[in-house]
Amino acid sequence: MNKPLRFALLAGVVLSLCLSQARLHAQNLAMATLPDAPGVSPAGALPGQSTGPDNGQVQDGQQTKRILGIIPNFRAVSANTKLPPQSVKEKFITASQDSFDYSSFVLPSVLAGYSLGVNSVPEFHSGGAAYGRYYWHAFVDQTIENYAVEFIVPAIAHEDTRYYTLGNGGFLKRTKYSLERVVVTRSDSGKPTFNAGEVIGSGAAAGLSNLYYPQSQRTFGNTAQRWGLNIGIDAGTFVFKEFWPDINQAIFHNAK
């Protein structure tokens, strides 16, 4: 059996085993601090609109659909907001938005430029053709990871893929909360649960990438590195989402 197929099968086996265990560990993760569980918004309330007790007053932690008017922020939920359970269709839609939005081509271009600069895959050579190879690999990596993390695994594990802004407390508390979202998320019923979508989904995506990377890149170390990169980028994104409302308020005065 060739190495790409072994890695793909390994990713599938790990995915199946971990999903079966994720539900068993949910209660152990329940001690992690989360905002109130999502519920159905009152009639007339819009997604992201606060439904807290302040009777319509502007709340801290108000998210926008895009960051800086460009970067997709469709999964971020404003602080103190209660929403209905996320449907499988909604998970598919947000994964598609994050994969094919006009701004989704930016990160792969940056990663491709860096990889070209450090010659991370010698088989791609150099020059414009090499940049194209790096770019399509980075774009496919991103797309597979988005669907695995935001749709496929969460649909199986019954997880909510939205980021619920904490919006209160000090910098360290909120940073800790946002980083913890890598391993702790909400179930569709609103309870804390192991984030199988992030941990297992990104690992499975890294394993599947061995099907289209050159032979030299299909080692366990390189696969683990791509897995870590996927999680690291998402962790940084969670932190930025948490503090985006503060940045938006301070600099842009809640620009939409």
Side-chain angles (χ1 to χ4, degrees):
M1 186 181 295
N2 58 36
K3 288 186 178 180
L5 185 55
R6 286 204 301 269
F7 275 116
L9 290 175
L10 177 61
V13 170
V14 171
L15 177 62
S16 299
L17 292 175
C18 291
L19 280 175
S20 65
Q21 295 297 319
R23 309 304 296 179
L24 298 178
H25 293 290
Q27 291 183 346
N28 294 331
L29 294 168
M31 64 182 64
T33 302
L34 284 171
D36 294 336
V40 178
S41 299
L46 298 174
Q49 179 180 354
S50 174
T51 58
D54 290 345
N55 300 321
Q57 295 180 2
V58 176
Q59 302 290 309
D60 292 335
Q62 293 296 296
Q63 293 285 357
T64 59
K65 291 183 178 180
R66 292 183 182 275
I67 295 173
L68 300 175
I70 300 174
I71 304 170
N73 197 32
F74 306 122
R75 291 190 296 145
V77 179
S78 298
N80 306 312
T81 299
K82 297 181 179 180
L83 296 176
Q86 189 181 35
S87 68
V88 173
K89 179 180 179 180
E90 288 173 330
K91 295 169 188 176
F92 175 78
I93 289 174
T94 55
S96 300
Q97 288 175 326
D98 285 345
S99 297
F100 301 109
D101 182 79
Y102 64 83
S103 63
S104 64
F105 302 95
V106 175
L107 182 58
S109 67
V110 173
L111 293 176
Y114 173 79
S115 297
L116 177 64
V118 299
N119 193 32
S120 62
V121 184
E123 291 89 341
F124 289 171
H125 305 296
S126 60
Y131 179 82
R133 297 185 187 100
Y134 281 115
Y135 181 85
W136 81 254
H137 279 79
F139 184 81
V140 173
D141 286 348
Q142 173 181 269
T143 302
I144 292 176
E145 200 251 355
N146 283 341
Y147 278 99
V149 170
E150 300 176 26
F151 169 55
I152 298 173
V153 177
I156 296 172
H158 303 289
E159 296 173 357
D160 190 327
T161 69
R162 294 170 291 201
Y163 179 83
Y164 287 85
T165 308
L166 183 60
N168 61 76
F171 175 79
L172 292 179
K173 177 182 177 181
R174 293 174 65 187
T175 300
K176 178 176 180 289
Y177 165 83
S178 57
L179 291 174
E180 286 176 343
R181 295 318 99 194
V182 170
V183 292
V184 181
T185 189
R186 298 177 187 227
S187 66
D188 286 337
S189 62
K191 297 179 180 180
T193 187
F194 172 65
N195 195 343
E198 181 63 46
V199 177
I200 300 173
S202 60
L208 290 172
S209 69
N210 286 295
L211 295 174
Y212 51 86
Y213 270 90
Q215 186 71 30
S216 66
Q217 302 301 306
R218 299 170 186 170
T219 65
F220 177 81
N222 286 331
T223 304
Q225 186 177 35
R226 288 194 291 273
W227 188 354
L229 179 62
N230 290 340
I231 292 179
I233 290 174
D234 289 344
T237 300
F238 292 157
V239 174
F240 192 67
K241 286 178 183 290
E242 176 64 33
F243 291 101
W244 164 241
D246 304 81
I247 298 170
N248 190 32
Q249 171 63 34
I251 300 178
F252 304 105
H253 307 292
N254 280 330
K256 300 298 183 183

